[in-house]
Amino acid sequence: KDKPVKRAVNREAPSVHPDTPVVEALRLFCRNHMTIPVVEPVTKKLVGMISREDIMRALRETTSAT
């Protein structure tokens, strides 16, 4: 049967804050192999999601700027 998402959601999934270093997000991604939610630390509101591609792009931009 079709159950609601709230019954399937993983509340223990790792998340990062907007100020989390990209390298830490990469570590989490490598450990969990999933897109990572970006959450405001105080309000716990979802800001967005960061994917492997987002992380790799940010790392390329960082290394090309130096």
Side-chain angles (χ1 to χ4, degrees), residues 6-9 11 14 29 32 34 36 41 53 55 59 63:
K6 69 181 180 182
R7 293 193 51 207
V9 70
R11 296 188 188 275
F29 182 84
N32 297 285
M34 59 191 294
I36 302 167
E53 291 77 20
I55 294 167
L59 289 172
T63 56

Side-chain angles (χ1 to χ4, degrees), residues 1-9:
K1 293 214 173 200
D2 214 14
K3 63 182 177 179
V5 171
K6 69 181 180 182
R7 293 193 51 207
V9 70

Side-chain angles (χ1 to χ4, degrees), residues 2 4-7 10 18 21 23-24 27-28 33 35 38 41 44 46-49 53 61 63-64 66:
D2 214 14
V5 171
K6 69 181 180 182
R7 293 193 51 207
N10 178 359
V23 172
E24 180 58 27
R27 284 189 198 114
L28 280 173
H33 305 285
T35 303
V38 181
K44 305 293 186 207
L46 180 66
V47 175
M49 303 291 283
E53 291 77 20
E61 289 170 1
T63 56
S64 66
T66 58

Side-chain angles (χ1 to χ4, degrees), residues 43-60:
T43 63
K44 305 293 186 207
K45 290 201 175 219
L46 180 66
V47 175
M49 303 291 283
I50 190 163
S51 67
R52 177 185 174 277
E53 291 77 20
D54 297 328
I55 294 167
M56 299 310 288
R57 181 176 49 254
L59 289 172
R60 277 193 306 274

